[in-house]
Amino acid sequence: MTLDYAALMSEAIAEGDKARLHAPPNPWVGALVVRDGVVLAAGHTQVPGESHAEVDALRRAGELARGATMVVTLEPCRHVGRTGPCVEAIIDAGIERVVVGSLDPDPRVAGRGVAALRAAGLEVQVGAQLDAVRAQLAPYLWHRITGRPYVVLKVAATLDGIVAMGDGSSKWITGEEARRDAHVLRAQSQAIVVGAGTVRADDPALTARLDGVVVEPLRVVLGHAPASARVRPCWERVGDLGAVLDELGAHDILQVLVEGGAKVASEFLEAGLVNHVVWYVAPALAGAHGARGALATLSTPSIDALRRARFIDVRRLGEDVRMDLEV
């Protein structure tokens, strides 16, 4: 029987999405135990220190795993960290075939997991739905390859790119559904970066509020926050942005959300440090007179210097539109 591994990997990716908020600094992996095209069990990464996706799926499958196939989004680990090696668990469970989405660039893994499975006599296939898996795990993969967090720049603006009016007011440009979505984006990020000017002007808490649960990423202020600012406790940093990212990466921050203001957003783009842009557009027009543009200090001397990006998703949120761009 020929199995549709692409479709099965899509199911594993969806399973991995369930771990997106709680897995970091581990990757949000999904795994399936499959026999004759039927999914016997599904698992995803638990909180750090608890089961990885493979072990979670094997536990749910029990003895049914013997002789079955495992479909997993990321290469199983073979080292001992907070938990034992997933490779050994797969072998001990009697799995006969493993279908892997992407190899893991973590130097402790980096092909060694696949090699160990093959050495134990298992059939291993690599690369099913590779692009989709890499897109899902982009922050983790970027961090493991570069040592820096994946940088997401978030902007909420009018149709003509204005983020604050002439009197400085900006609440609220976008509607409730877009703002709720932005809280999910915060919760997916382990750190939020904002300029000291924005802290002084808006006094944001920079927490993520999801269904009554408050998630508190690390708050990073570029400059100095007032002693009474709601963003405290926070890191206060000045100087080179690359050095700030290096420090965050060393603390296992996989994704950073840059929330502004306009000067900070422009500086990150100017330095070439943005991986992904999430741009919320409201169906409103402000005009440039006295207003503040989303990238007010970004300099582009010629059309040849225009910073090109690629749309990877566009969707409607209430009356607003969310546009995702890969820089």
Side-chain angles (χ1 to χ4, degrees):
M1 179 180 181
T2 302
L3 298 183
D4 186 350
Y5 289 130
L8 289 168
M9 187 60 72
S10 293
E11 287 191 46
I13 291 170
E15 182 69 21
D17 280 339
K18 297 176 182 178
R20 182 63 179 88
L21 299 184
H22 66 249
N26 293 330
W28 36 101
V29 177
L32 310 177
V33 176
V34 180
R35 189 192 304 276
D36 297 329
V38 177
V39 177
L40 304 176
H44 55 268
T45 311
Q46 302 301 301
V47 297
E50 297 187 9
S51 300
H52 289 186
E54 300 93 324
V55 173
D56 189 40
L58 290 171
R59 182 182 298 121
R60 295 173 189 274
E63 284 301 313
L64 294 175
R66 194 159 299 277
T69 294
M70 171 163 283
V71 178
V72 60
T73 55
L74 189 68
E75 178 183 11
C77 65
R78 59 161 297 183
H79 63 279
V80 177
R82 293 186 182 95
T83 62
C86 290
V87 164
E88 290 185 9
I90 292 169
I91 295 169
D92 291 345
I95 291 288
E96 291 186 353
R97 179 185 300 104
V98 181
V99 179
V100 176
S102 173
L103 294 178
D104 188 342
D106 188 310
R108 297 170 298 178
V109 188
R112 294 182 179 88
V114 164
L117 291 170
R118 286 175 173 156
L122 280 71
E123 178 186 340
V124 182
Q125 298 180 29
V126 179
Q129 291 278 41
L130 179 60
D131 289 343
V133 170
R134 285 179 173 172
Q136 183 196 42
L137 294 173
Y140 170 80
L141 298 173
W142 179 264
H143 178 269
R144 289 303 189 268
I145 292 168
T146 68
R148 286 181 172 180
Y150 186 84
V151 176
V152 178
L153 172 62
K154 173 221 153 187
V155 175
T158 63
L159 188 62
D160 51 343
I162 298 302
V163 295
M165 306 306 112
D167 63 355
S169 60
S170 60
K171 294 181 179 180
W172 296 104
I173 290 175
T174 54
E176 183 177 343
E177 193 168 337
R179 297 199 301 274
R180 187 183 308 116
D181 186 77
H183 277 268
V184 174
L185 194 59
R186 283 182 179 179
Q188 292 174 341
S189 306
Q190 293 75 59
I192 301 176
V193 174
V194 68
T198 295
V199 173
R200 290 191 294 270
D202 299 337
D203 194 22
L206 298 183
T207 57
R209 296 176 293 280
L210 302 174
D211 299 325
V213 177
V214 178
V215 179
E216 297 196 32
L218 172 67
R219 277 72 62 93
V220 181
V221 177
L222 300 179
H224 299 289
S228 60
R230 292 198 299 157
V231 75
R232 292 188 178 278
C234 63
W235 280 13
E236 296 171 290
R237 296 294 186 269
V238 295
D240 180 67
L241 294 178
V244 174
L245 293 180
D246 287 337
E247 184 180 7
L248 290 169
H251 282 80
D252 281 337
I253 301 297
L254 303 186
Q255 178 169 299
V256 164
L257 180 64
V258 177
E259 286 223 27
K263 181 174 180 291
V264 168
S266 298
E267 287 175 347
F268 268 90
L269 284 168
E270 193 87 56
L273 297 174
V274 176
N275 300 94
H276 189 108
V277 177
V278 177
W279 196 293
Y280 298 97
V281 180
L285 299 166
H289 184 70
R292 188 182 311 146
L295 304 173
T297 66
L298 186 63
S299 174
T300 307
S302 69
I303 194 69
D304 293 334
L306 199 63
R307 293 159 185 83
R308 298 284 182 180
R310 180 174 68 93
F311 283 113
I312 56 176
D313 189 33
V314 178
R315 63 183 184 270
R316 188 164 177 170
L317 296 168
E319 294 300 315
D320 305 313
V321 173
R322 169 175 166 163
M323 300 183 295
D324 284 67
L325 300 90
E326 186 178 77
V327 179

